[in-house]
Each structure stands twice: as C-alpha cells, then as structure tokens.
Amino acid sequence: MRRLILAIVGAMYLATGSASAGGGEKGDFEFGPYAGYGWLDDYGFLHPKNDYLFGVRAGYFFTSTWSAEVSLQRLSTHTAVDVVGLPNQDMTLDACRVNALYNFAPGSHVRPFLTAGLGCEKADANDLGESAGLGLNAGGGVRFFMGDHFALRFDGRYVTSNVGGSVNQWQNNLEANLGLSFLLGGGPPKDTDADGVRDSKDDCPDTPHVAIVDEHGCPKDSDGDGVWDGIDQCPNTPKGVTVDARGCPIDSDGDGVFDGIDQCPNTPKGATVDAKGCPSDADGDGVYDGLDRCPDTPKGAKVDAKGCPMDGDGDGVWDGIDQCPDTPRGDKVDARGCTVAPVRTPPPIIQKLIEKQPVILEGVEFDFDKATLRPASDATLDDVAASLRDWPEIRVEIGGYTDSKGRDAYNLALSNRRAASVKAYLVSKGVSASRLESVGHGEADPIADNTTDAGRQKNRRVELHKID
C-alpha cells in the first residue's frame, strides 16, 4: 500500500512538472497527502476503535467546477470482539476510491466543494483474514488557496460498505481529514479581461480595456481623479479637481481655477479671483475687482453697477456715508452730510437738564388731594413744553413728590397720578410722549423739613430730570 501511494505521487509530479496554471482551473491536476480521523461502526461481532487515518489522492479538473480524483488510504486500529475464545484483533481498513467533485467559486481563494463516489473497501484482521467489497461515500469540504499551486484542504464524508468475508454486514463510518493539495495545469491561466492578471488572482475581473492595473488586477488612478491610468489623458490632475470623461480638469466659470477646487464656481466673467477661485473686492463696495471701474471707493459708500459712488442729494458726501441723504440743495453740510445748523443757546430749563441738574417746576399747583392741575400751572408748563419742543433730542423724567402727611402708599399713588397729569399736559402741547416718563416718588427725597408748613409746601413738588 505504501509503495502504491508513493508511485502515484511520483507519477503526478512528473506528469505536471512543466505546467503553469493551477488554482483549480480547467486542465489542472491536483495531488497531495492527507491525514484524518475515522469514527467506526460496529463490524458484526467486531467493535473497531475510532482511530487515525492517512492517505494520498490525485485528481484532474475537467472544468473549473467539475473534477474527479482517485484516493488511497489506510486506517490502522484494533477491535474488541463478542465471540468467546477470540482475542482482540489488530485491524487495518484500506480504501481505494474514485470520486467526482463539484467545486464552487472558481477563481476564489476559498473554494468549497461537494463530492460523491465509490471504491474498494478492504478489512484485514489478524485472526480473521482479509476481505474486500464495494463501498459508497459522499461528503464535502473546502480548499483554502495559499497561492496558485498550493492549498489546504478539509474533507468530511460518510462511508458505507460491506467487505463480505467472515463478517458479511454493512458498516457505516464517518471520516474527517486535513490535507495538502498541489495543483498544476497544462494550459495558460484564464484572463477574462485581458489585463495580464489571471482570473484566479484578479480582484477586479471586469477591468476596462487599456486601463493599467496593479498586481491584483485592479485599475490604477495615480492622480485620484476617478479616471484610470491608461484611459486618463491628463494624468497629473491636482487632487480634488473635477474632471471630464477623459480625465482632464473642468473650469466652468473660466476663472482659471478648476472645478472641485474652485470654492466660488459661478464667478462672473472678467472678475479677478484669488487662489480659491473667489472674486476679490479690494474696496468692499460689492463690485468685484476686474469689473469695478472705480476701484478706490471709500468704505461704506453706495455704488452703481460699475462700482462708482453715488450722491443722491448732491451735497458732496457719498450715499451710504451721508447720514442726512435728503439734504436740501445748497445747504452747507458737515462731514456726515448733514446741514450745519446755527449754534443755539439753550434756555435755562434745557441748560439745567443738559448739566444733569433737577428742574423744580415752580408754580405748578394741584387741587387738594387730587391730581387735577390748577389753571395757575399753565404758564410754567407752557414754557416747559416750548423748551422741549425746541430741543427734541432731550428726554426727561417727570417726578412727582408729596409731603410726609398721610399713608406712604397713598402718597406714592397720588404722586404718581400728579406726575402723569403733568406728562399729559406736555403731550397736549406737542411734546412727543416717547420723550417723557412719569414716575411717582411719594414722600421720598424731601428737600425741606416736613414738620413745618413751609417745608411741606416745598416737598409737594414736580421735578424734571434728563434721561440719558
């Protein structure tokens, strides 16, 4: 048996020594040793022990999916017996089998398969002699290719046989083995996409014609533009640039900065752009350099479509900078574009307010315990209203105060109503309500002694304060 195994291995080596394909392609030869383990069924009155097996196989691929193989193997074990007076037997189980295999995933590094076949199964027990018979087997496995010509192979199969002889009974065994497979072939390797990389090693089997590929059969793209080397007519395109079908950069707005890099892809024709493709506007007037006919426009000035400043009221101060855009024609204006008004002398009331001094409204009187203004108050309040109308930029607080007689809460409410009455009078005389605030302070902040009639009279007052 050992000599026969060695003879088959040597013959296969000589037969395929000049071959070059491999990988389980059509025309490939496969051979190699294996070792495994058998789980053995009872053999009549014999009870063989599970044990290790060894073998060798050789096969041929008729197509990339169908192959056939011959295998020789031996399992050496010993048995227990049920027959009185018959000692335990040393036993060998030899098999010579022919199998057909269906191999999945042609060209892959991992190739499962199914197998079925028949053969001669022989049993040899030392006291019972040798007998042989037909056996059937079926199973499957997988090859793991480590290269074109070498693979690890795992097999598992079910075997049923009746070797006849003194024990005429069917035996059903299970086998599992691990082996080495050497694959060589006589024809050139298959290269479907003609890229120079055989299908079994080609990770990209549908590479377009002319494209340059790496050792795995995948197209190269040296400049990373999405158009493969060999097809790319502009092979040195900068990273990130959008290209056409030929691999050449596109510049949709014609500003000299390619699409994909151009951060402002819709720049108007003629505008000056920076390295990012964005138009520059040196004077910040909203009209791009290159299109701006007045490139030194002052900051803030409004310009026309040509980038030149406008002066709607003709006062010499550009629109946008002019804070008084509707100045009458001929008026003398300041740097802001506003008419220069004659210097005004504020009246005493306004002067005090400007200096942040309180203005006590002398002569403002109310009906007893009421917020109704007496007619004697009109002259004073008319003078205040006229002053405020002439100085519209002044905002004032109208504060009402009482003496200390009465409850605090009542005095506070009364002072608040009296301040509101003064505000209402000034509004009726043309002073904007938005410039006036009325506040009641009650008996707070006395300016005289509340223990005398004269002091209390002074404390019952209305004051104006400038609001910033």
Side-chain angles (χ1 to χ4, degrees), residues 109 190-221 228-229:
H109 297 294
K190 190 175 181 181
D191 181 11
T192 303
D193 57 7
D195 62 357
V197 179
R198 61 173 295 172
D199 287 357
S200 61
K201 295 182 67 176
D202 197 337
D203 292 340
C204 302
D206 300 317
T207 302
H209 186 58
V210 182
I212 299 171
V213 300
D214 58 20
E215 66 273 14
H216 301 293
C218 292
K220 297 180 182 178
D221 182 9
W228 292 320
D229 295 354

Side-chain angles (χ1 to χ4, degrees), residues 151-453:
L152 290 178
R153 175 170 161 173
F154 295 88
D155 285 68
R157 69 188 66 213
Y158 167 81
V159 183
T160 182
S161 65
N162 187 341
V163 298
S166 59
V167 181
N168 187 12
Q169 183 174 325
W170 285 93
Q171 184 182 26
N172 301 296
N173 300 332
L174 295 176
E175 297 175 0
N177 63 71
L178 168 64
L180 304 178
S181 286
F182 299 93
L183 294 101
L184 296 171
K190 190 175 181 181
D191 181 11
T192 303
D193 57 7
D195 62 357
V197 179
R198 61 173 295 172
D199 287 357
S200 61
K201 295 182 67 176
D202 197 337
D203 292 340
C204 302
D206 300 317
T207 302
H209 186 58
V210 182
I212 299 171
V213 300
D214 58 20
E215 66 273 14
H216 301 293
C218 292
K220 297 180 182 178
D221 182 9
S222 300
D223 56 7
D225 62 0
V227 180
W228 292 320
D229 295 354
I231 298 173
D232 196 339
Q233 298 182 28
C234 300
N236 297 314
T237 302
K239 296 293 183 184
V241 170
T242 303
V243 299
D244 57 22
R246 300 174 305 150
C248 293
I250 302 171
D251 180 12
S252 300
D253 57 7
D255 62 359
V257 180
F258 298 136
D259 294 359
I261 296 175
D262 195 339
Q263 297 184 21
C264 301
N266 299 313
T267 302
K269 298 291 184 183
T272 303
V273 299
D274 57 20
K276 299 178 181 178
C278 293
S280 54
D281 181 11
D283 57 7
D285 62 359
V287 180
Y288 300 137
D289 296 348
L291 303 176
D292 195 341
R293 295 189 182 180
C294 301
D296 298 318
T297 301
K299 296 293 182 184
K302 293 183 179 180
V303 298
D304 57 22
K306 298 177 182 179
C308 293
M310 299 182 291
D311 181 11
D313 57 5
D315 62 359
V317 180
W318 306 127
D319 294 352
I321 297 173
D322 194 339
Q323 297 183 28
C324 301
D326 298 318
T327 303
R329 296 284 176 177
D331 276 11
K332 184 177 180 180
V333 298
D334 56 21
R336 300 176 303 152
C338 296
T339 300
V340 178
V343 177
R344 295 181 298 163
T345 301
I349 292 175
I350 298 300
Q351 185 63 43
K352 278 190 173 184
L353 290 173
I354 291 174
E355 294 175 356
K356 298 295 184 72
Q357 297 182 32
V359 176
I360 299 175
L361 300 183
E362 302 288 350
V364 174
E365 298 178 0
F366 297 92
D367 288 342
F368 177 73
D369 198 26
K370 294 181 180 180
T372 305
L373 285 166
R374 292 180 176 177
S377 304
D378 292 354
T380 299
L381 293 178
D382 288 346
D383 186 35
V384 171
S387 298
L388 291 176
R389 287 196 304 270
D390 290 343
W391 292 81
E393 66 272 25
I394 301 294
R395 297 180 66 242
V396 296
E397 175 194 289
I398 303 168
Y401 296 85
T402 67
D403 58 27
S404 60
K405 283 192 171 184
R407 297 189 311 277
D408 291 351
Y410 181 83
N411 287 338
L412 181 62
L414 178 61
S415 65
N416 195 35
R417 294 197 305 274
R418 286 179 171 178
S421 293
V422 173
K423 176 181 177 180
Y425 186 92
L426 295 176
V427 170
S428 72
K429 295 299 181 178
V431 180
S432 172
S434 64
R435 297 171 56 201
L436 305 174
E437 292 183 10
S438 62
V439 180
H441 298 285
E443 58 190 66
D445 301 325
I447 59 174
D449 188 353
N450 272 310
T451 62
T452 66
D453 290 340

